Amino acid sequence: MQRPETPGGSRIIVSVLGHDKVGIIAAVANILSESNINILDISQTIMQGFFSMILIADMENSKIDLATLKELLANKGEELGLRIDAQHEDIFRYMHRI
Amino acid sequence: MLTIQEIVETIEMVQKEHLDIRTITMGISLRDCSHPDVKVACKKIYDKITRLASDLVPVGEQLEREFGIPIVNKRISVTPMAMVAESTDTDSYVDFARTLDRAAEAVGVNFIGGFSALVHKGLTVGDSKLLDAIPQALAETERVCASVNVASTKSGINMDAVYRMGSIIKEAAELTADRDGLGCAKLVVFANVPEDNPFMAGAFHGVGEPESVINTGVSGPGVVKRAVEKVQGTDFGTLSETVKKTSFKITRMGELVGRAAAERLGVPFGIVDVSLAPTPAVGDSVAEILEAMGLERCGTHGTTAALALLNDAVKKGGAMASSYVGGLSGAFIPVSEDAGMIRAVEDGALSVDKLEAMTCVCSVGLDMIAVPGSTTAETIAAIIADEAAIGMINQKTTAVRIIPAPGKDVGDSVEFGGLLGRAPIMAVNSFSSSDFVRRGGRIPAPIHSLRN
């Protein structure tokens, strides 16, 4: 049996959900760049009137850990009236791909 | 590459539809903790549990943060206590329950299962002492759960044990009368019990299990309900396919988190129990899934067929997603823990009889049902016997978790709070089963038990 992967990689998915406004991407990108987290891909869409942005980033050379990053993003989200979260990529990949 | 739709779907499942890892349960063997001196035996039990499970809660919380998926419960199951306590020179096994309670508190888990005995063919001296201790153990402790297996397809139904459980349930209710009979909410009577089930109150660490193991239980009634709502008006093939696909995704997540937990705790990974286990939260209801399939109220004609489809599709999706699906996988139908079930009872759509029929096709059995406090031990035993017969003949697990609520009658309800919820008192048949359950002995195993 092939051994299913357990979290190990350094890629994370940052999700932003809420009402659209100026400066969301800049705010998130700032937090990431200050922590030396490399952005790999960004896509955004308006779904059912909600702004949603998904950002894939690499934490390999990050100065902070995931828990700290989540806190920083959540605080920024509160400030902007949005829900911003970071999660390990594995949960998404494992759920949708065999 | 992941698509944005897939990512958004996962996020919505967690944030809006209550998808969660319902429980990570660490199974711990206590077989090496036997000792003639009760004090020594209890110390060995306490030391072993607190040593092996000390990181269980922190690791669970760590995974919760990393994956962004709530892990609602972290729990422990242990070797059926009757086996561990049997060589001890004491008549009261309540000390063992107190020890389990203290160990559970020390490591921060909310329930510990395994104050249990397997008596489907007969009772040993230790089994008998454990049964005697159950009412007091459940009244005195906060976190200990008890279970007794009284029947199996291979052995038949131990009717002596069934009758005794009727009396034990009555006593457990009376000892916790000040809390609406809460003791009974922590006691399950099984037929064909699975030994790797991570869900309380029936979890214990079976004799064929390794020294220690991590089992996970995933649940997402809200996610399945939303998926079912999206295919309104389609045929049953499409409906089943939709549930299967959803169940697949839920199971994958459970396996990922379970394996990660097992690796970090340094113990083997056991099984994923892919179950639709409701909670009292709105939108987290199995009854509402059945209603979303097109039934006006859960309990009306067609409910058994709808539940059969749901249960089977959940298992099929789960079996594709993980090679180690086990436990009680399927759909749970507790009354008190499911807002839709409570409403169905209050509206007069759902009776005990219909629930019994539904247990033929659900994952477990009559679960968290409150009946009048005046219900006799004989009637409760007869209800257990009916469920055990369904399990025995159909080679499935069945169980009874019933609360004869002291001083309450039909029209009242009991309130346990938290995950145990609220249960309206349901009517039972008023005619006596006394002479039947008092016969004693064992109902023989059915002919298909001779398969080998």
Side-chain angles (χ1 to χ4, degrees):
Chain A
M1 193 195 87
Q2 195 200 334
R3 191 180 162 76
E5 310 118 275
T6 46
S10 54
R11 297 209 318 184
I12 56 158
I13 288 177
V14 178
S15 61
V16 183
L17 296 170
H19 291 290
D20 197 8
K21 61 169 67 175
V22 176
I24 297 174
I25 296 179
V28 174
N30 253 334
I31 292 176
L32 297 177
S33 86
E34 278 166 17
S35 311
N36 203 31
I37 297 169
N38 189 27
I39 296 173
L40 304 172
D41 197 1
I42 298 181
S43 59
Q44 66 168 76
T45 179
I46 306 289
M47 288 181 67
Q48 291 159 17
F50 269 90
F51 171 81
S52 73
M53 181 182 93
I54 308 291
L55 184 154
I56 301 176
D58 190 340
M59 287 192 73
E60 197 177 351
N61 301 311
S62 170
K63 288 190 269 186
I64 57 175
D65 65 2
L66 183 56
T68 315
L69 176 66
K70 279 170 82 89
E71 204 182 307
L72 287 175
L73 291 172
N75 291 342
K76 182 55 78 179
E78 211 161 299
E79 200 179 294
L80 295 170
L82 294 158
R83 182 155 185 166
I84 311 182
D85 199 5
Q87 281 158 274
H88 208 278
E89 180 203 33
D90 285 357
I91 197 84
F92 300 94
R93 214 181 46 217
Y94 205 75
M95 184 186 254
H96 297 280
R97 298 278 185 272
I98 301 182
Chain B
M1 195 63 210
L2 285 160
T3 67
I4 191 161
Q5 281 79 10
E6 286 171 335
I7 291 170
V8 171
E9 183 187 349
T10 304
I11 292 168
E12 283 202 333
M13 278 180 171
V14 176
Q15 292 184 355
K16 287 195 195 150
E17 298 159 9
H18 305 288
L19 176 64
D20 57 40
I21 304 288
R22 187 56 54 83
T23 185
I24 295 185
T25 302
M26 178 180 242
I28 298 174
S29 168
L30 296 180
R31 273 151 66 181
D32 57 346
C33 297
S34 294
H35 197 275
D37 184 337
V38 63
K39 286 208 173 72
V40 178
C42 286
K43 183 171 187 316
K44 286 170 92 170
I45 290 169
Y46 182 87
D47 290 349
K48 185 163 186 185
I49 294 172
T50 48
R51 174 168 55 85
L52 286 174
S54 60
D55 289 338
L56 178 63
V57 174
V59 163
E61 285 168 354
Q62 193 181 39
L63 290 171
E64 248 176 313
R65 281 194 302 273
E66 278 176 37
F67 289 132
I69 305 268
I71 300 172
V72 183
N73 299 300
K74 294 92 184 167
R75 291 170 171 174
I76 295 170
S77 63
V78 298
T79 307
M81 192 46 75
M83 294 177 193
V84 184
E86 193 148 30
S87 60
T88 308
D89 187 19
T90 174
D91 284 330
S92 169
Y93 284 3
V94 180
D95 281 340
F96 289 100
R98 291 190 194 112
T99 303
L100 292 180
D101 204 38
R102 276 195 299 121
E105 191 180 0
V107 298
V109 298
N110 57 356
F111 280 121
I112 184 164
F115 198 72
S116 306
L118 306 170
V119 300
H120 37 278
K121 208 164 180 182
L123 281 80
T124 66
V125 175
D127 291 333
S128 190
K129 286 181 186 171
L130 183 114
L131 261 55
D132 286 340
I134 286 176
Q136 199 191 338
L138 294 178
E140 272 194 27
T141 61
E142 200 182 317
R143 299 159 201 251
V144 175
C145 293
S147 60
V148 178
N149 192 58
V150 296
S152 78
T153 298
K154 285 278 184 189
S155 69
I157 306 172
N158 182 347
M159 287 299 292
D160 292 323
V162 167
Y163 185 25
R164 210 158 144 189
M165 289 315 297
S167 310
I168 287 168
I169 288 171
K170 285 291 285 181
E171 202 185 328
E174 275 148 28
L175 288 181
T176 49
D178 56 330
R179 286 164 281 165
D180 280 345
L182 175 67
C184 300
K186 299 183 286 177
L187 171 60
V188 191
V189 186
F190 273 111
N192 286 327
V193 69
E195 305 200 355
D196 54 6
N197 155 37
F199 283 107
M200 295 296 167
F204 66 86
H205 187 72
V207 289
E209 297 282 313
E211 184 70 14
S212 180
V213 71
I214 287 288
N215 294 326
T216 51
V218 278
S219 186
V223 180
V224 174
K225 184 189 160 204
R226 174 70 81 89
V228 168
E229 280 169 351
K230 280 186 190 155
V231 293
Q232 256 167 18
T234 59
D235 73 348
F236 288 108
T238 311
L239 179 60
S240 171
E241 187 67 19
T242 305
V243 175
K244 263 162 58 185
K245 282 182 179 155
T246 311
S247 167
F248 176 91
K249 290 176 187 173
I250 296 172
T251 310
R252 293 290 290 173
M253 202 186 69
E255 175 153 0
L256 174 70
V257 174
R259 285 192 183 275
E263 195 175 296
R264 288 183 199 188
L265 290 163
V267 295
F269 172 70
I271 55 110
V272 187
D273 184 314
V274 47
S275 276
L276 299 180
T279 71
V282 174
D284 211 16
S285 154
V286 170
E288 285 172 14
I289 300 174
L290 303 175
E291 290 170 3
M293 287 186 187
L295 302 166
E296 189 180 358
R297 272 291 176 282
C298 176
T300 187
H301 305 292
T303 304
T304 311
L307 182 59
L309 182 154
L310 175 66
N311 205 53
D312 182 64
V314 166
K315 286 182 187 177
K316 283 175 178 161
M320 277 297 291
S322 167
S323 296
Y324 298 100
V325 172
L328 294 165
S329 294
F332 281 73
I333 49 168
V335 174
S336 79
E337 298 165 358
D338 186 315
M341 295 286 269
I342 293 169
R343 191 184 54 180
V345 172
E346 285 173 344
D347 289 354
L350 184 61
S351 65
V352 170
D353 292 343
K354 185 65 179 181
L355 271 173
E356 183 187 312
M358 289 163 72
T359 62
C360 299
V361 299
C362 79
S363 76
V364 202
L366 289 176
D367 198 10
M368 289 302 282
I369 291 167
V371 295
S374 58
T375 310
T376 62
E378 286 78 10
T379 295
I380 291 172
I383 292 171
I384 295 169
D386 282 341
E387 274 304 301
I390 290 170
M392 174 182 78
I393 296 293
N394 297 298
Q395 304 178 64
K396 80 182 284 289
T397 301
T398 51
V400 174
R401 187 157 54 138
I402 191 167
I403 304 118
K408 303 249 168 138
D409 212 336
V410 177
D412 300 331
S413 65
V414 290
E415 182 83 56
F416 299 122
L419 276 175
L420 295 173
R422 174 177 74 92
I425 310 287
M426 298 177 80
V428 296
N429 199 307
S430 59
F431 293 93
S432 170
S433 323
S434 182
D435 289 347
F436 179 76
V437 297
R438 282 171 185 271
R439 279 177 177 272
R442 186 151 53 92
I443 294 180
I447 185 70
H448 52 245
S449 70
L450 297 176
R451 192 178 57 174
N452 51 22

